[in-house]
Amino acid sequence: MSILPKSVQNLIDQFSRFPGVGPKTASRLVFYLLSQEKEGIDELGQAVLAVNKNIVKCQKCYNLSDSNLCSLCGSNSRDKKTLMVVEEPLDIVALEKTDYQGLYFVLGGLISPIDDVSPEDLRVNELINRLSDGTIREMILATDPSLEGEATAMYLSKEVEKYQNSGKIDKKLQITRIARGLPVGSDLEYADEVTLMRSLEGRKKFN
Amino acid sequence: MSILPKSVQNLIDQFSRFPGVGPKTASRLVFYLLSQEKEGIDELGQAVLAVNKNIVKCQKCYNLSDSNLCSLCGSNSRDKKTLMVVEEPLDIVALEKTDYQGLYFVLGGLISPIDDVSPEDLRVNELINRLSDGTIREMILATDPSLEGEATAMYLSKEVEKYQNSGKIDKKLQITRIARGLPVGSDLEYADEVTLMRSLEGRKKFN
């Protein structure tokens, strides 16, 4: 039997569901929370409820949004001819720190037989529909450079090519993949051989 | 400018306040939360509000409780003559895994000049009052074996002795300190010298 009051134990259980948060970390977070001012705790609870109430998926790119169209899809200053396909909304946050100015499409996962994720679980049909109106001229495949990410990129490019051959998608649509290579600031001698191989394959003319 | 919807950014800021949780971890937690079912998110929000509404401090030991008296102070099966003084409620959770059967007293912190915590910030008066009715026969000082914990234990024992001399607290009250020594399962050769010294000082007759 737990010696903790029921509502405390319940909150610890809730926190334990987060990835990378075990029961010990969850306890520490909850006890820290309970050492705070009552107003601060209420604020957190309300913030969770508010995010749940206000956040929807953008109808166009499936990014998180507080309206039908996210701030990126709704913006006039973005390049509407380039579409970057990513796994999840968190990837967009990272990519927005670069000078990329195009639009995004959130696939909602990566193909992974081990985790029982097949193409039907992803937004492949939605992506095909998005590409079929002819506005997009370049689709950048920006899935992770992992086994699952590579397989997903491969699958998507094959699918799009299939629809290009059937005429549903314009043949002029270019499919590109983000470069795999050595991360900036890293040490060549410690790089794994696959990364090195990719880095050689992707070499470019030196100014 | 953040590209995230306001309520998402707000929740990330809230999560960032937890100790050991930086903005990156907070983002990951929030995006994970948003990938869950709507019901699950609501549950978490309600659990935070519920814990804030229901949890009070036990009037007797200042442990977290859902009624005026916590389950330990209200229990008939605990040894009411022994009082263990701890820094915070989380310590009680750890100690309840031992076979300790007495009661607790939550001090609410440790004396720490660096963090600007002086004895007046702790529940020292409350502790003296608790001891003055004569029920408690042993007070176990179970503050951390850190600099602050040792200083606090020292301070408390001096305070209680002062009140024992003035007659407010029974002279028969015994003051004890939890043993410092080598943790079970550890390796003697890697132990620091202070721990080893304490371990020698605290040696006991074998069988």
Side-chain angles (χ1 to χ4, degrees):
Chain A
M1 195 206 84
S2 166
I3 61 139
L4 294 172
K6 222 174 117 194
S7 56
V8 175
Q9 187 60 54
N10 177 30
L11 192 57
I12 293 175
D13 295 343
Q14 296 270 349
F15 272 89
S16 304
R17 288 202 218 148
F18 284 105
V21 178
K24 274 214 166 176
T25 307
S27 302
R28 218 168 299 133
L29 295 178
V30 169
F31 277 88
Y32 171 79
L33 190 65
L34 285 166
S35 72
Q36 301 302 294
E37 298 289 325
K38 288 257 172 197
E39 291 75 35
I41 306 177
D42 246 18
E43 257 177 52
L44 174 66
Q46 299 294 357
V48 172
L49 296 178
V51 88
N52 200 24
K53 203 173 145 229
N54 300 338
I55 297 303
V56 292
K57 291 203 170 82
C58 169
Q59 288 180 340
K60 224 169 162 183
C61 75
Y62 301 92
N63 185 14
L64 298 175
S65 171
D66 43 16
S67 53
N68 288 341
L69 225 54
C70 76
S71 60
L72 295 167
C73 288
S75 161
N76 284 322
S77 62
R78 308 287 298 199
D79 161 20
K80 308 227 184 267
K81 291 179 180 165
T82 316
L83 189 74
M84 176 120 69
V85 180
V86 296
E87 182 192 349
E88 44 161 358
L90 200 49
D91 296 326
I92 298 180
V93 177
L95 288 160
E96 278 299 291
K97 288 174 189 151
T98 69
D99 55 5
Y100 177 70
Q101 280 300 318
L103 299 177
Y104 295 93
F105 186 90
V106 178
L107 203 57
L110 296 176
I111 298 170
S112 168
I114 294 174
D115 301 321
D116 210 23
V117 181
S118 66
E120 292 78 53
D121 301 314
L122 310 179
R123 299 194 188 96
V124 179
N125 291 334
E126 289 87 339
L127 177 62
I128 300 298
N129 284 334
R130 177 70 190 277
L131 296 172
S132 62
D133 74 356
T135 332
I136 306 295
R137 313 309 298 263
E138 181 183 359
M139 169 176 79
I140 307 173
L141 296 169
T143 50
D144 293 340
S146 63
L147 210 67
E148 292 81 9
E150 299 289 3
T152 307
M154 182 67 79
Y155 176 84
L156 290 178
S157 88
K158 296 270 179 227
E159 271 305 280
V160 171
E161 278 167 18
K162 208 174 74 186
Y163 283 100
Q164 283 182 313
N165 290 333
S166 76
K168 192 177 177 187
I169 295 177
D170 193 337
K171 287 218 175 189
K172 284 198 204 111
L173 173 79
Q174 228 192 340
I175 306 174
T176 58
R177 175 93 174 102
I178 48 166
R180 277 73 41 94
L182 291 165
V184 176
S186 71
D187 216 326
L188 199 130
E189 79 182 282
Y190 298 123
D192 63 288
E193 59 187 62
V194 184
T195 299
L196 275 176
M197 210 170 68
R198 293 290 192 180
S199 191
L200 283 170
E201 282 170 12
R203 69 187 182 278
K204 289 176 95 171
K205 201 158 178 271
F206 195 71
N207 281 340
Chain B
M1 196 204 86
S2 167
I3 61 138
L4 294 172
K6 223 175 116 193
S7 57
V8 176
Q9 188 58 55
N10 178 29
L11 192 57
I12 292 175
D13 294 343
Q14 296 271 349
F15 271 91
S16 303
R17 288 202 218 148
F18 283 105
V21 178
K24 275 215 164 175
T25 308
S27 303
R28 219 167 298 134
L29 295 178
V30 169
F31 277 87
Y32 171 79
L33 189 65
L34 285 166
S35 71
Q36 301 301 295
E37 298 289 325
K38 288 256 171 196
E39 292 74 36
I41 306 177
D42 246 18
E43 255 177 55
L44 174 66
Q46 299 295 357
V48 172
L49 296 178
V51 88
N52 200 23
K53 203 173 146 229
N54 300 339
I55 297 303
V56 292
K57 291 204 170 80
C58 169
Q59 290 180 340
K60 225 168 160 182
C61 74
Y62 300 93
N63 186 13
L64 299 175
S65 170
D66 43 16
S67 53
N68 288 341
L69 225 55
C70 76
S71 59
L72 296 167
C73 288
S75 161
N76 284 321
S77 60
R78 308 287 298 197
D79 161 20
K80 308 226 183 268
K81 291 180 179 163
T82 316
L83 190 74
M84 177 118 70
V85 180
V86 296
E87 183 191 349
E88 45 162 357
L90 200 49
D91 296 326
I92 298 180
V93 178
L95 288 161
E96 277 300 290
K97 288 174 188 153
T98 69
D99 56 3
Y100 177 69
Q101 280 300 320
L103 300 176
Y104 294 94
F105 186 90
V106 178
L107 203 57
L110 296 176
I111 299 170
S112 167
I114 293 173
D115 301 320
D116 210 22
V117 181
S118 66
E120 292 78 53
D121 301 313
L122 310 178
R123 298 193 188 97
V124 179
N125 291 333
E126 289 87 339
L127 177 61
I128 299 297
N129 284 335
R130 177 72 191 274
L131 296 172
S132 63
D133 73 358
T135 333
I136 306 296
R137 312 310 295 263
E138 182 183 357
M139 169 175 79
I140 307 173
L141 296 169
T143 50
D144 293 339
S146 61
L147 210 65
E148 292 81 9
E150 299 289 3
T152 308
M154 181 67 78
Y155 176 84
L156 290 178
S157 88
K158 295 272 179 223
E159 271 305 282
V160 171
E161 277 167 20
K162 208 173 76 186
Y163 284 100
Q164 283 182 314
N165 290 333
S166 77
K168 192 177 174 185
I169 295 175
D170 193 338
K171 287 218 174 189
K172 282 195 204 115
L173 171 80
Q174 228 191 342
I175 306 173
T176 58
R177 175 90 175 105
I178 47 165
R180 276 75 40 96
L182 290 164
V184 177
S186 70
D187 216 325
L188 199 129
E189 80 183 281
Y190 298 123
D192 64 287
E193 59 186 62
V194 184
T195 299
L196 275 177
M197 210 171 67
R198 291 290 190 180
S199 189
L200 283 171
E201 281 170 11
R203 69 186 183 277
K204 289 174 95 172
K205 203 158 176 270
F206 197 67
N207 281 341

